Amino acid sequence: MNICGYYPESINEGEGLRAALFISGCRHYCKGCFSPATWNFLYGEPFTPEREQEIIRDIAGNPLLSGVSILGGDPFFSAAEVSAFLDRLREAAGAISAWIYSGYTFEELTRDAKSPEYGLLSRCQVLVDGRYVDELRDPSLLYRGSSNQRLIDIPASLSQRGIVEWRPTFSF
Amino acid sequence: MAMMNPVYTSRQDMLDEVITLGEEIVASSNLEVLRENANLNGESFSGKMSKFGSEYAKWYANHFVMPKPLVQAIQDNIVYVHDLDQYAIGTTNCIFIPFDKLLREGFNTGNGSVRPPNSIMTAMALVAIIFQSQQNAQYGGVSANKLDHDLAPYVTKSFVKYFRKGLDYFEEGDSAADYGLITMARSDLQAQYPRAFKYAVKETESETLQAAESLIHNLNTMSSRAGGQIPFTSINYGTCTSIEGQLVISSLLAATMRGLGSGETPIFPIQIFKCKQGVNQQPGEPNYELFLKAAECSAKRLYPNFANLDAPLNLMYYDPANPDTEFATMGCRTRVLSDRFGRNHLSGKGNLSFNTLNLVKLGLEHGIALGLRQTADEQGFYRELEHYMDIALDGLLHRFRIQSSQKAKASDFMMREGVWEGGEQLNPEDTVGELLKHGSLSIGFIGLAECMKAMYGKHHGEDADVYKKAYNLIAFMRDYCDRQSERHNLNITLFATPAEGLSGKFTKRDRADYGEIPGVVDREYYTNSFHIPVYYNISAAKKIELEAPFHGLCNAGAISYIELNGSARSNPAAFLRIIQYALSQQVSYFSINHPIDRCSGCGYEGIIGASCPSCNASEQDVHIRRLRRVTGYLTGDFQTRFNAAKQAEVRDRLKHST
């Protein structure tokens, strides 16, 4: 697995200050994608155990973070590896919240409860879902690009077997 | 004529200087002179007029007034005398205005007397007049240290008026009867006269909001100092817990968020929200909702900044019964709280003047950066540091004697109305000296980071040992100020200088003298006070942790900033978390910088790259106004108003995100 970006602190990819990790590789090929270079699974740098440790240490040692955000590419094309990363992160840093971005919808990701995709989804708290649709682009949207994309509260949606949208803790 | 300062010898040289000064101003040929102050348009007629005055006044002070060692230290590029144009005439720097007293008793601006206001609308209008009148009596900022407490009584006055009117309109009671003390908290009146009460609440809320809007508009439009600039105003608030005080705070925040005429971010007044545990820091505390609203406003407008009443150096003077003991600041960061003569409160006094030391040059002379020695010559460094602190202090004391010998009539409004506490007891011909001793004389510093680089090859953000040395250096300076306070029986304090005009001046001269030295003299500016350099990659938490201990040392004031990239207004959680973390680390005064761009085509505000994300207009076709903060103050557009050094600093700021 390659990663194509890491921001130790960001306010643009989810609520609070979050570490943002970008996983290389995507097969959605959305028209108007802002970073088509990241479609390539070999783009960026290899996610070596050393690099992973560095990032885990970084996140565990930052008292200001509200959590981690995982983006891409689309992390669900590397679901098993990303799940393993989250497990190791939580082993070191405790119960840390995870947001995850995908071109797949919540419905697509929950079709098979035994799939690695489902496994990754269930490890996260908020899903930003759906392909980017250029015609629905709206720069005023919170944490996403086009209006078809949703912010989904994963634990609530899984337990209620239906979509529960995520609500901000503070609404300015 | 006074003795010519012997630093200069040739009369012809002096004449040449005077002529060049004038020519450069007339022709707008020296942008560094014209843009020294980002809030003054030096290319306008009134700006040029004021430049003529100030440039000549500086020249005069240099040649005929200042002690020779001070002039020499300025020439050596180690000491900087701020607001040198005011040195010879004895003006003072900044002040916290006792608005409560001025509004309660009425005042006279010199051209006419003003009765105490009977409504919040009038009170807020008078606040602007008082700011403007006072601004002309001094050269630095004017600040309200507790505007919520000061204005709450006038909200009550408005409320009483509307309540009595409502009793009449709705025929609920006798409008002239005695109801005791009528306030917005009187639930018994609310129960007994529900319609009149509700009407009075609605009208009072709407009047207070309008008053706040007009105050902010006034403070962004009125001129002072012969039209040269708008007053440098700051307002502090956040701790008044009466319904009326809370209404003042929420209205100021709402008006600020609403913005000016076309919704743009107001440049003035600088706003500071005072944070206090038990009052506004946790859910359930009386003003917590207002703290959230302040964070929201700050995310949208860069203001308010946050003052930490719980930081130890501020808490030690805090008396919950007296809001005048709550730490507040001039927007740029000035702190005057303790007074060796017992006035341990804020209003009615201010800073008198400050001189700043160029730590970088001392570091260059005694460090390893020039390649002349293997290890830093710390003994030599400290010997010379103390020598120049002596010179800087002598300059402050010399200037203080000039200031003290001024007659009360020279700062007419300030003294006659008791804006400076006790001034009202002076006759116009009396000198002000005895009163000014309550103010502070401050020694400031700039470029701790580059100084450490020059001394040891690393700055204090890069290395734990260097950090200790940096801390000890500033502790040494503080200790010097404390000792001199005792010796001279004056309030001598240590200042983390907000070096706007200065940030590039020291550097330019040092570069001419030493050439480009990597990490020390390779940028256009020196790093502000004790800050970790803006270009250094460091997490927000770490920056806060490293800078916090310096706040405790700088008793004349300091600020820490975090730079955020991205649209802060959409992420309040991040904003709140960072603010409260800084407060928990004992940072005394804190703010978050984030870019606010505004498309003049469609009015979109947020982050704008080469083209507007909302209307797609490109920067070539429409003007993108890019608002940035400089030394605590905002300026309209950093690309047209900042001097070159500050423009460079803004470009270099490394964001703690994305």
Side-chain angles (χ1 to χ4, degrees), chain A residues 3 15-16 25 117 166:
Chain A
I3 60 168
E15 186 176 65
E117 289 78 15
W166 173 83

Side-chain angles (χ1 to χ4, degrees), chain B residues 58-199:
Chain B
K58 283 186 207 169
W59 183 89
Y60 175 77
N62 256 312
H63 287 63
F64 299 106
V65 182
M66 285 193 288
K68 184 183 171 189
L70 183 61
V71 176
Q72 188 62 53
I74 294 169
Q75 290 198 329
D76 292 345
N77 206 36
I78 296 178
V79 175
Y80 184 83
V81 175
H82 291 263
D83 300 285
L84 179 55
D85 51 349
Q86 307 278 340
Y87 195 112
I89 56 174
T91 332
T92 52
N93 182 9
C94 58
I95 198 167
F96 291 98
I97 297 175
F99 281 103
D100 50 353
K101 174 174 114 79
L102 291 165
L103 293 173
R104 193 175 57 239
E105 296 171 6
F107 58 91
N108 188 323
T109 62
N111 298 312
S113 62
V114 177
R115 279 190 295 275
N118 280 315
S119 69
I120 185 62
M121 180 60 92
T122 317
M124 287 227 199
L126 293 183
V127 166
I129 304 285
I130 292 168
F131 268 138
Q132 187 180 29
S133 299
Q134 175 58 27
Q135 177 80 107
N136 289 307
Q138 38 147 80
Y139 55 84
V142 281
S143 181
N145 57 312
K146 51 179 174 60
L147 197 61
D148 44 356
H149 293 274
D150 295 339
L151 289 176
Y154 304 94
V155 175
T156 306
K157 282 191 170 189
S158 284
F159 180 74
V160 172
K161 215 156 45 177
Y162 289 119
F163 179 67
R164 292 191 184 279
K165 211 186 258 184
L167 289 173
D168 260 354
Y169 284 173
F170 302 105
E171 297 179 354
E172 278 186 327
D174 176 5
S175 64
D178 181 7
Y179 293 94
L181 193 64
I182 302 172
T183 70
M184 295 176 83
R186 285 284 297 275
S187 48
D188 57 325
L189 292 179
Q190 185 175 16
Q192 211 172 341
Y193 312 101
R195 295 166 76 183
F197 199 93
K198 187 178 174 191
Y199 162 78

